[in-house]
Amino acid sequence: MTVPASSVVGLQGRLLKQVVGPDRHIVNSLIARLLLTIVLSVSSISVLAAIDAYSFPDDNLRERYNSLIDELRCPQCLNTNLAGSDSMISKDLRREVHRLVLEGKSDDEVRDFMQQRYGDFILYKPQVKASTYVLWFGPVVLFFIAVAVMVKLLARRRDPSHKNVLTEVEQNRLDQLLSK
Amino acid sequence: MSSVNKSLLIPLAVFLVLVVTLGVGFSLKNPHILPSELIDRPFPEFVAAELHDPNRKVTREDLKGQVSMVNVWATWCPNCVIEHPELVRISREEGIPLYGVNYNDDVDKAQAWLRRYENPFVLNIVDDNGKLGIDLGVYGAPETFIVDAQGVIQYKHVGAVTRDIFETEMKPVIEQLRANQSVMRTAEAGS
């Protein structure tokens, strides 16, 4: 994160043009301080982010590392991924993901490594297997049931024999109520 | 009103099924406790230094031969202090070897900690980078494993070991494993 020095100076210069008179020096130093603060705070953010930054021989590995720590779940936290957690176990697991990726392991091998140790919990995207069929296919099944029910209801609405469906008893009761 | 249209009750029935399923599903277990994948699997391979004897290399072979308990602990772990008196008691009274895994910790601090609180461990595996911890599926100390004589993990407890947990959960497992072991020994002797 770098702000080109020329643009800082340019901005400062443009701001200063609007200030004239004895206040100019005070304002000048205030703006300089403000800009310095902004530049320093921005640059310190990049330093913080670099503490955990691993080196990668190529961008492909870096992208795979980033997507893996994005999709693996921190085992200690209930709803944070490895990328977003500051816990010790997440740091250790990020280091392991980095090591495995550099060793040439495929994404699936990294997922298996984690799954063998931490179980399904660590996978935000669960594997398709007998115990997760309900999870994966339940919504599809529910959708088709909903469609079937809807089709049936619409068909019934169009069916003329279902109009005026009150039985004789019901009709009598209705008439009785309406006449009160 | 016996002529209520029964199909009107279907949504209510579906709703009740959902309530029961979700209610049971969410209250069955503490979501912080992960089921261990390690049960019935051999203790992971490792080579590590011993806490008080850095030249000694400890491996999983050191854990074999009898039923043992492996406790993952660290000086930064508050629950480890809480459970420690129970570990000391177990080491004195239960006749089961206790192995420590000093997890993500500092050797000097760990040694001082054991001097201060008493050392119940037969030996301590130094896992200063958390590597063995990861292979054990540890996500927070303390965690305690029961390992059988063949070096297979049979039980795992996450969190502090209390007297109650030891008596109701761990002791039955240990006794069962010891019984199996003596059956196997007699079978071997008889053949």
Side-chain angles (χ1 to χ4, degrees):
Chain A
M1 189 73 201
T2 52
V3 180
S6 59
S7 74
V8 176
V9 173
L11 180 66
Q12 197 177 350
R14 245 175 289 140
L15 286 169
L16 285 180
K17 274 176 197 158
Q18 295 160 11
V19 186
V20 283
D23 289 342
R24 190 179 150 161
H25 285 292
I26 301 165
V27 176
N28 188 2
S29 89
L30 272 179
I31 292 174
R33 273 188 210 173
L34 185 69
L35 288 174
L36 185 67
T37 313
I38 293 169
V39 169
L40 281 180
S41 60
V42 167
S43 62
S44 70
I45 289 168
S46 67
V47 170
L48 271 179
I51 287 174
D52 199 33
Y54 292 111
S55 61
F56 295 88
D58 62 70
D59 285 347
N60 179 33
L61 288 182
R62 183 190 305 277
E63 271 168 34
R64 284 184 46 220
Y65 166 83
N66 283 332
S67 79
L68 279 167
I69 63 169
D70 204 49
E71 70 168 73
L72 290 170
R73 185 179 184 182
C74 157
Q76 204 176 34
C77 339
L78 284 187
N79 204 1
T80 316
N81 56 13
L82 289 186
S85 165
D86 218 18
S87 68
M88 189 169 62
I89 184 66
S90 293
K91 279 179 198 160
D92 286 352
L93 290 179
R94 285 198 296 267
R95 190 194 62 215
E96 283 300 286
V97 172
H98 175 249
R99 180 179 68 79
L100 292 166
V101 166
L102 285 201
E103 277 177 10
K105 297 281 194 292
S106 72
D107 286 1
D108 277 337
E109 283 170 325
V110 175
R111 286 186 202 110
D112 285 348
F113 175 94
M114 294 297 170
Q115 200 263 340
Q116 276 167 21
R117 286 159 180 77
Y118 291 96
D120 293 338
F121 184 93
I122 200 160
L123 306 172
Y124 261 129
K125 191 177 161 191
Q127 293 164 331
V128 182
K129 56 183 182 182
S131 62
T132 59
Y133 282 165
V134 173
L135 197 63
W136 278 101
F137 305 117
V140 180
V141 171
L142 284 178
F143 175 76
F144 281 115
I145 291 174
V147 169
V149 168
M150 197 176 77
V151 166
K152 207 177 165 192
L153 286 178
L154 287 176
R156 189 189 290 178
R157 194 179 288 182
R158 270 193 229 106
D159 183 356
S161 68
H162 274 86
K163 284 182 179 159
N164 303 323
V165 283
L166 292 187
T167 62
E168 206 175 320
V169 180
E170 285 169 338
Q171 189 63 52
N172 288 342
R173 172 93 177 123
L174 181 62
D175 292 342
Q176 197 187 340
L177 285 170
L178 286 174
S179 65
K180 269 185 186 169
Chain B
M1 294 300 279
S2 61
S3 60
V4 171
N5 191 345
K6 288 212 175 67
S7 65
L8 288 178
L9 291 174
I10 292 175
L12 181 65
V14 170
F15 174 72
L16 287 178
V17 167
L18 263 179
V19 167
V20 171
T21 315
L22 295 180
V24 170
F26 282 120
S27 60
L28 256 186
K29 55 180 188 145
N30 179 348
H32 283 278
I33 306 287
L34 273 57
S36 178
E37 289 296 307
L38 271 294
I39 306 293
D40 287 334
R41 293 229 303 258
F43 200 88
E45 273 185 62
F46 68 95
V47 180
E50 209 281 326
L51 186 66
H52 293 96
D53 183 5
N55 293 321
R56 177 173 171 195
K57 291 291 167 220
V58 187
T59 70
R60 66 174 177 181
E61 297 304 313
D62 291 287
L63 309 183
K64 291 182 184 173
Q66 56 178 319
V67 183
S68 63
M69 284 169 72
V70 178
N71 177 257
V72 180
W73 67 280
T75 56
W76 46 260
C77 146
N79 277 329
C80 297
V81 183
I82 293 171
E83 73 168 0
H84 203 71
E86 176 60 15
L87 295 183
V88 171
R89 189 198 67 79
I90 292 169
S91 76
R92 278 189 196 145
E93 296 174 14
E94 304 291 343
I96 184 165
L98 229 61
Y99 301 110
V101 175
N102 185 231
Y103 172 63
N104 266 338
D105 210 346
D106 175 88
V107 167
D108 291 335
K109 277 189 199 164
Q111 287 178 352
W113 196 89
L114 287 178
R115 271 197 300 277
R116 180 171 169 195
Y117 294 110
E118 193 172 336
N119 183 359
F121 302 112
V122 178
L123 59 83
N124 261 290
I125 300 154
V126 176
D127 183 33
D128 50 3
N129 58 11
K131 187 81 177 50
L132 177 60
I134 288 172
D135 286 342
L136 279 169
V138 168
Y139 56 94
E143 293 191 14
T144 307
F145 297 83
I146 295 175
V147 183
D148 71 13
Q150 287 73 43
V152 178
I153 295 171
Q154 297 287 354
Y155 171 92
K156 173 185 177 178
H157 175 74
V158 178
V161 175
T162 60
R163 182 75 191 257
D164 186 45
I165 284 163
F166 181 80
E167 294 294 338
T168 58
E169 290 189 25
M170 306 177 104
K171 206 167 180 176
V173 176
I174 293 167
E175 276 164 4
Q176 181 64 47
L177 291 174
R178 282 177 173 162
N180 293 351
Q181 200 189 346
S182 58
V183 166
M184 279 169 63
R185 281 215 185 111
T186 8
E188 276 168 22
S191 63

